[in-house]
């Protein structure tokens, strides 16, 4: 169970907790409260039979409530078809339960009306929880008024006094408020959590798409002009060669030089050796994480005073770490700390909600690419779990080596 629970995201944990609570609540309240009733009705066989029937009916109500609540949540959150049939069954069982309570009160075996008033909410609760996600609040309020009037009329017809009839109305209103505060509010809370999770997923996808667009722009800037020049000079070389002009060789030599330069620039783009602005990357990380609903705590330290090469290397670390926080785990907070300690620039990115994360990247992975970039400036990278479901990435770059170079 611990392994199953640990593998779930925060949203899945909340969803499971709320569902189990709603499923179990009718059993704990209604069945738990009505079970001692069979021992309190005296020795009258008719009263004992009514009490046992009421308890059996309550068990059936709770079973129907579990089924109806499950499908009602799917209707309220995901837009699935409403379980009208099971809701109608729940309403019918609730009506029969109220009838049994009134009949039991008429036998005179459960004392005065106070006991009946105590029993009534436990018979109404499963029905209320079964139906409170299937309609608007206005219709639910109207239905509650109708139910209160019917129960008050039934109590009056059974010979109960005006005080008991008024107590029945109060009980119906209380059950309405209780179901509203538990069932309806829980469904609303789960729907909001689901929407926030979807929004964060969209933000993560947008961040990845933005990175791909940036790479595409870099490739276009590097290769677009060079390929156009290569095409023009190749065409010129062909025309000169057809005319027997010696300048054709010079043009082809220029084409070769431009092609070699393009290869070098493409390697720089792919390997990430083009400069990355560390302050801009830090601000971008703060904005993207905040947009994804992640609380970002940032200590920039002497970021603007670091050498250009160190800033470029650490800028790529910030970009890759931000992407990993968005795409992996279920982070709620992320801390970014930048400091200069003992002749080294140290960048720490730590987030919660990491789950089971592999600290050792595979060849070609983002972490492996970061290690290659940092090794070019004598830096190191450590990444792995930091305990309590947290993941920490630490990049260190020597400042002395950068200054000497």
């Amino acid at each position: 169970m611990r392994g199953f629970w640990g593998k779930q995201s925060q949203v899945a944990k909340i969803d499971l907790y709320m569902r189990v609570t709603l499923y179990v609540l009718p059993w704990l309240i209604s069945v738990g409260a009505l079970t001692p009733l069979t021992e309190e009705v005296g020795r009258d066989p008719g009263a004992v039979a009514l009490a046992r029937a009421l308890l059996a009916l309550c068990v059936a109500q709770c079973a129907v409530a579990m089924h109806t609540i499950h499908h009602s949540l799917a209707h309220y959150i995901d837009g699935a078809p409403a379980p009208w049939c099971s809701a109608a069954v729940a309403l019918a069982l609730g009506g029969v339960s109220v009838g049994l309570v009134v009949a039991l009160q008429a036998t005179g075996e459960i004392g005065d009306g106070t006991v009946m008033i105590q029993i009534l909410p436990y018979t109404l609760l499963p029905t209320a929880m079964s139906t409170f996600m299937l309609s608007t609040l206005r219709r639910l309020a109207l239905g509650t008024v109708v139910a209160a009037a019917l129960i008050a009329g039934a109590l009056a017809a059974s010979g109960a006094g005006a005080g008991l009839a008024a107590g029945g109305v109060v009980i119906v209103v209380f059950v309405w408020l209780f179901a509203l505060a538990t069932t309806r509010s829980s469904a609303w809370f789960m729907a909001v959590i689901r929407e926030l999770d979807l929004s964060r997923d969209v933000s993560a996808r947008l961040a990845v798409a933005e990175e791909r667009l940036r790479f595409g722009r870099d490739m276009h800037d590097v290769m677009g002009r060079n390929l156009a020049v290569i095409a023009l000079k190749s065409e010129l070389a062909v025309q000169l060669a057809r005319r027997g002009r010696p300048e054709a060789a010079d043009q082809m030599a220029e084409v070769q030089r431009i092609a070699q330069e393009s290869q070098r620039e493409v390697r720089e783009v792919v390997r990430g050796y083009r400069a990355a602005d560390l302050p801009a990357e830090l601000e971008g990380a703060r904005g993207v994480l905040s947009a994804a609903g992640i609380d970002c705590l940032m200590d920039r330290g002497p970021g603007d005073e670091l050498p250009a090469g160190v800033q470029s290397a650490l800028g790529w670390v910030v970009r890759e770490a931000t992407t990993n926080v968005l795409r992996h785990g279920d982070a709620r907070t992320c801390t970014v700390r930048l400091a200069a300690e003992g002749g080294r620039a140290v960048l720490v990115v730590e987030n919660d909600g990491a789950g089971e994360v592999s600290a050792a990247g595979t060849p070609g992975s983002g972490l492996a690419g970061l290690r290659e970039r940092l090794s070019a400036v004598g830096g190191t990278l450590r990444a792995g779990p930091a305990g309590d479901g947290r993941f920490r990435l630490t990049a260190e770059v020597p400042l002395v080596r950068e200054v000497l170079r």
Side-chain angles (χ1 to χ4, degrees):
M1 181 62 183
R2 183 178 179 182
F4 168 79
W5 183 258
K7 294 179 181 178
Q8 303 301 310
S9 66
Q10 293 295 330
V11 174
K13 290 178 181 178
I14 293 175
D15 185 88
L16 181 60
Y17 171 78
M18 299 298 291
R19 288 178 183 272
V20 171
T21 301
L22 291 176
Y23 296 158
V24 174
L25 196 60
W27 294 93
L28 293 179
I29 296 179
S30 297
V31 176
L34 294 179
T35 298
L37 181 63
T38 56
E39 300 178 359
E40 298 177 2
V41 295
R43 299 181 179 180
D44 182 69
V48 173
L50 287 174
R52 292 177 178 175
L54 181 61
L55 180 59
L57 198 59
C58 182
V59 172
Q61 282 182 279
C62 293
V64 173
M66 289 184 62
H67 178 270
T68 310
I69 290 172
H70 173 74
H71 291 281
S72 296
L73 286 173
H75 167 72
Y76 190 93
I77 298 175
D78 302 321
W84 295 116
C85 293
S86 56
V89 173
L91 288 172
L93 292 176
V96 175
S97 295
V98 172
L100 289 178
V101 172
V102 174
L104 191 59
Q105 174 63 29
T107 63
E109 293 294 327
I110 57 173
D112 57 11
T114 304
V115 178
M116 187 273 296
I117 292 299
Q118 293 175 352
I119 296 174
L120 189 59
Y122 304 121
T123 61
L124 294 176
L125 180 62
T127 300
M129 295 186 65
S130 299
T131 56
F132 262 55
M133 288 181 283
L134 301 179
S135 187
T136 62
L137 293 178
R138 179 177 299 180
R139 292 179 179 177
L140 291 174
L142 179 60
T144 301
V145 171
V146 173
L150 292 175
I151 290 176
L155 290 174
S158 66
L164 286 181
V169 173
V170 173
I171 289 300
V172 172
V173 174
F174 170 77
V175 171
W176 182 83
L177 293 174
F178 184 84
L180 190 66
T182 55
T183 309
R184 187 64 175 247
S185 62
S186 297
W188 173 81
F189 180 74
M190 293 167 65
V192 171
I193 292 296
R194 183 76 61 85
E195 291 180 3
L196 291 176
D197 185 59
L198 292 176
S199 298
R200 194 179 71 167
D201 183 65
V202 170
S203 298
R205 292 178 183 272
L206 288 176
V208 175
E210 182 180 357
E211 177 66 14
R212 291 175 177 173
L213 288 175
R214 183 204 62 80
F215 184 78
R217 288 194 299 267
D218 285 351
M219 289 296 295
H220 179 270
D221 294 342
V222 169
M223 297 300 298
R225 178 184 62 84
N226 290 352
L227 290 176
V229 173
I230 289 174
L232 291 174
K233 287 188 173 292
S234 298
E235 183 179 357
L236 178 59
V238 170
Q239 294 177 359
L240 292 175
R242 289 175 178 174
R243 298 174 185 176
R245 301 286 295 274
E247 291 88 346
D250 296 333
Q251 294 296 328
M252 291 306 300
E254 182 67 11
V255 168
Q256 182 182 21
R257 185 192 67 79
I258 296 174
Q260 292 173 347
E261 180 68 15
S262 299
Q263 288 179 333
R264 184 187 65 80
E265 292 180 342
V266 168
R267 284 195 296 268
E268 290 178 353
V269 172
V270 173
R271 294 176 181 176
Y273 292 154
R274 291 168 64 94
D277 188 3
L278 178 58
E281 293 296 338
L282 289 172
E283 288 301 323
R286 186 201 301 271
V288 171
L289 293 174
S290 299
I294 300 174
D295 187 14
C296 183
L297 305 177
M298 189 167 293
D299 182 7
R300 299 179 57 167
D304 298 336
E305 303 173 1
L306 297 176
V310 174
Q311 289 198 38
S312 178
L314 294 181
W316 285 106
V317 175
V318 172
R319 178 178 296 179
E320 181 65 26
T322 304
T323 303
N324 288 339
V325 172
L326 292 171
R327 296 184 61 184
H328 306 294
D330 189 44
R332 290 173 294 178
T333 61
C334 180
T335 303
V336 181
R337 296 190 299 272
L338 179 62
E341 304 172 353
R344 302 177 71 84
V346 181
L347 174 69
V348 179
V349 181
E350 184 174 331
N351 62 277
D352 61 358
E356 297 181 359
V357 183
S358 175
T362 57
S365 67
L367 293 181
L370 288 181
R371 290 190 175 95
E372 292 178 1
R373 295 187 182 102
L374 292 176
S375 64
V377 292
T380 59
L381 179 72
R382 301 191 304 275
D388 296 331
R390 304 186 67 84
F391 186 85
R392 181 182 300 149
L393 183 146
T394 303
E396 298 184 7
V397 179
L399 299 177
V400 177
R401 177 175 177 177
E402 176 63 26
V403 172
L404 293 176
R405 293 180 65 181

